[in-house]
Amino acid sequence: MATIDDDLAKSVTEGFRQAQIDIVNQDLILSGTGDVTVTLADGSKKTGPSWSKLITAANAAGTSAAAAATSATNAKTSETNANSSKTAAATSATNAKTSETNAKTSETNAKTSETNAKTSETNAAASASSAAASLAAAQLLTSVPYEDAPFPDVWAPLSDDLRLLAGFAPYDTLTISGKLLELPSRSMTFTRSTTATYIDKSGVLQTAAINEPRFEREGLLMEGSSANYILNSEDPTKWSSNSTLDKAMVVDGSTQANTFRGTVNAATSANHQATASSNITVAVGDKVTLSARVKATSYRIRFRFTLDGAQIADSFFDGSTGGYMSATAGLTYASSLGSDGYVSVSVTFTAASAGVVTGGIWLNSGTNLPVGAVIYVQMAQCEKNAVATSYIPTGTSAVTRASDLVTLQANGNMGYRMIGDPFNRTLAFEITVNKYVTPSVGYADLMRVNGANNDIIFRAVSASINCYISGSGPSVAITYPFASKIYAQTVDAVNNCTMYFDDKTNVRNGAPTNPNSIGTALNIQSNSSVVYHIRNFRIWHRLLTPNQVKGLR
């Protein structure tokens, strides 16, 4: 039989004893409550918190807000008790004169209790306030001010073409060698029966062909019809300028437009006419707008109107800064200095009586202008219109530019067949209204669905934007003109029509005027009293949430 020596036996016994101590220590720590005492390897003892006590302490931290509320309640109770003690002290003073000293002591103690209660209440209120502040901060950190909208059902970016990224329209086509080819893309339809000019994204004057849309920095340009009565606008050497100006045509400025350069050749006058329009017949209330890009060094630019051959109105602008100087009462005007030194000026005259109006542009000063003084004029235009529109090149007679129109088939895009069908829809786009004068009818419909009575999406009124499903609809106040803003409209299945614009919201409920009417086409249309740009047109066949609407860009 095998045997072990005494030292080995002692070591084995000690190992088993220490293992047993470790098991007991582990059981105390994991299963014990409060503080526990464990045995160390050298036989000494050490007291510390059990695992249960540590968990309890952690949980206690999470219930501090509840403890604060309980403290507030206890404080109130202490205050009540203090008041009771105070009352008892007074009663004791009355009923037990011999115990007056003890009563006063009780009263003092009551005061102390009351003070302590107030302190507890103050601390409790501070704890509650701190807890509320923490909650508000947490909500701020976790709140979502806006959300991304889902991919639209209809989407036309309108930044450089009319193509749809989503939505229904006939496939685009291309004719090559007499053969009509169908392309995989679809587009909105654009019509304008004449050519038209625009300023491209590099700032250069360009000409768009018939039925070609015009894309500028702010998006798709939309204008109504107008005519230019300044003749030979592209050949300034033929302008009806004074003989005191030596005239020449140059290509100048960021627009690279044909430009009149007139140089004073005789110091005999303070006024030198650069150009004047042909005759424009007006009725009372008709408006005539004269516009151009001009510049001159240290002298004034004069925009002058005549009625039946007699001067009727003037306005003056600094030729180098573009700053307004003076004008006849009743004129409306605008001027802005470009980066190339040219000043864009427009002045509108309203006829107080019927007759024949002309508009002219002059170089002007308070005294006779010196020989060598120069005026530059480009894109000169005089139109029988309430606002200045894009430049219309002319020859020997006035030229008319036709209006712009964008259409999109209603079927598959607008969310209904008959306007009375229950449907949910959100529609949004980015719009800039550059110029606006209230038309004689009181409004301008810029977007609506033809055939549907009603589905008027964007109506510009004198100081508001309106939309309609029924005979009336919501509106939001706005000041025209305005720079780029997001417009959104929702319509739900119970005829709530809601519009969102410029951080404003309005809603109105009303059934369609003619629920059986069928929409034929969405029209993005123009008006002679409005110049605007539009882009990023989208439709969702669902209701976006308010946070999703806020997130639209």
Side-chain angles (χ1 to χ4, degrees):
M1 172 172 139
T3 61
I4 59 175
D5 60 30
D6 291 341
D7 289 339
L8 179 57
K10 183 178 180 181
S11 296
V12 170
T13 300
E14 180 60 24
F16 279 120
R17 187 184 69 82
Q18 188 59 50
Q20 183 62 33
I21 289 173
D22 290 343
I23 292 171
V24 171
N25 287 343
Q26 181 176 337
D27 184 60
L28 286 170
I29 292 170
L30 296 178
S31 301
T33 59
D35 291 331
V36 297
T37 300
V38 298
T39 302
L40 303 182
D42 61 358
S44 63
K45 304 292 186 178
K46 186 172 181 61
T47 300
S50 66
W51 182 249
S52 174
K53 183 175 179 178
L54 290 174
I55 293 175
T56 299
N59 290 338
T63 58
S64 61
T70 301
S71 178
T73 300
N74 291 339
K76 288 289 186 181
T77 301
S78 295
E79 184 177 5
T80 300
N81 292 339
N83 288 332
S84 297
S85 297
K86 183 177 180 180
T87 301
T91 302
S92 296
T94 301
N95 296 337
K97 291 292 185 179
T98 57
S99 302
E100 185 175 357
T101 302
N102 292 337
K104 287 189 177 293
T105 301
S106 296
E107 185 176 2
T108 301
N109 291 339
K111 290 285 187 181
T112 302
S113 296
E114 183 177 5
T115 300
N116 293 340
K118 291 286 188 182
T119 301
S120 297
E121 184 177 4
T122 300
N123 292 340
S127 297
S129 177
S130 177
S134 298
L135 177 60
Q139 288 174 336
L140 182 62
L141 290 172
T142 58
S143 65
V144 181
Y146 64 85
E147 302 172 42
D148 289 334
F151 194 86
D153 296 288
V154 181
W155 190 1
L158 299 179
S159 58
D160 53 15
D161 59 34
L162 300 170
R163 282 180 296 178
L164 293 168
L165 300 184
F168 292 92
Y171 284 106
D172 297 331
T173 59
L174 179 66
T175 300
I176 299 179
S177 301
K179 293 185 178 181
L180 186 66
L181 303 178
E182 188 175 86
L183 303 176
S185 59
R186 305 171 188 256
S187 297
M188 288 178 152
T189 300
F190 179 87
T191 55
R192 185 190 57 250
S193 61
T194 64
T195 61
T197 68
Y198 65 102
I199 303 298
D200 69 16
K201 295 180 182 181
S202 297
V204 178
L205 179 68
Q206 302 287 1
T207 299
I210 292 173
N211 294 332
E212 179 186 355
R214 296 172 290 168
F215 294 96
E216 298 185 324
R217 289 172 180 169
E218 297 164 298
L220 173 64
L221 172 62
M222 297 293 293
E223 298 179 297
S225 175
S226 193
N228 186 4
Y229 287 85
I230 290 183
L231 308 184
N232 299 303
S233 66
E234 285 294 276
D235 187 359
T237 62
K238 296 179 180 179
W239 286 5
S240 55
S241 55
N242 290 156
S243 61
T244 53
L245 287 178
D246 290 335
K247 54 189 176 183
M249 186 188 81
V250 296
V251 175
D252 195 31
S254 61
T255 60
Q256 290 295 282
N258 288 354
T259 303
F260 172 88
R261 184 183 67 199
T263 306
V264 174
N265 56 36
T268 57
S269 175
N271 289 285
H272 301 266
Q273 179 177 292
T275 188
S277 73
S278 58
N279 292 338
I280 304 172
T281 302
V282 298
V284 174
D286 283 348
K287 297 180 184 298
V288 176
T289 298
L290 179 63
S291 61
R293 298 183 80 238
V294 296
K295 71 176 180 178
T297 303
S298 303
Y299 306 110
R300 296 182 299 197
I301 304 293
R302 178 187 187 189
F303 278 54
R304 176 175 181 261
F305 293 93
T306 67
L307 178 65
D308 294 334
Q311 178 182 328
I312 190 70
D314 285 284
S315 58
F316 298 88
F317 302 87
D318 187 292
S320 58
T321 67
Y324 161 76
M325 301 180 74
S326 64
T328 304
L331 293 178
T332 57
Y333 48 84
S335 66
S336 62
L337 178 63
S339 60
D340 59 354
Y342 276 85
V343 181
S344 295
V345 178
S346 67
V347 182
T348 301
F349 166 75
T350 303
S353 60
V356 175
V357 171
T358 66
I361 300 173
W362 300 61
L363 180 63
N364 169 269
S365 180
T367 59
N368 288 350
L369 285 158
V371 172
V374 180
I375 179 174
Y376 293 83
V377 182
Q378 60 179 224
M379 299 165 60
Q381 184 151 296
C382 191
E383 48 195 317
K384 188 178 176 180
N385 200 49
V387 297
T389 65
S390 63
Y391 168 60
I392 304 168
T394 65
T396 57
S397 60
V399 173
T400 298
R401 181 199 61 244
S403 59
D404 299 313
L405 176 65
V406 177
T407 60
L408 176 67
Q409 69 179 49
N411 184 34
N413 293 317
M414 299 316 299
Y416 58 82
R417 190 179 73 86
M418 296 188 298
I419 187 63
D421 296 339
F423 68 99
N424 291 315
R425 182 186 74 196
T426 302
L427 185 150
F429 51 87
E430 182 181 344
I431 184 168
T432 298
V433 175
N434 307 88
K435 300 165 188 175
Y436 177 78
V437 173
T438 306
S440 58
V441 297
Y443 63 85
D445 285 342
L446 303 186
M447 187 179 297
R448 65 180 299 157
V449 178
N450 274 8
N453 189 8
N454 283 313
D455 194 356
I456 300 171
I457 296 163
F458 191 105
R459 170 174 286 182
V461 192
S462 59
S464 67
I465 298 168
N466 296 19
C467 65
Y468 298 87
I469 290 295
S470 60
S472 62
S475 67
V476 295
I478 190 66
T479 299
Y480 296 100
F482 58 80
S484 175
K485 295 181 184 293
I486 300 297
Y487 172 87
Q489 179 217 46
T490 63
V491 179
D492 67 20
V494 293
N495 298 317
N496 286 312
C497 182
T498 307
M499 62 190 306
Y500 304 83
F501 187 77
D502 197 27
D503 293 326
K504 303 169 188 171
T505 302
N506 199 356
V507 61
R508 182 166 293 186
N509 181 272
T513 305
N514 182 358
N516 294 324
S517 57
I518 298 174
T520 56
L522 168 76
N523 280 3
I524 303 174
Q525 53 198 35
S526 56
N527 186 290
S528 294
S529 295
V530 189
V531 176
Y532 72 100
H533 292 79
I534 184 172
R535 62 184 171 193
N536 209 13
F537 174 84
R538 292 154 289 173
I539 297 175
W540 293 263
H541 295 157
R542 68 183 81 181
L543 295 178
L544 297 188
T545 67
N547 274 358
Q548 287 173 331
V549 172
K550 288 180 184 178
L552 295 176
R553 295 292 182 268

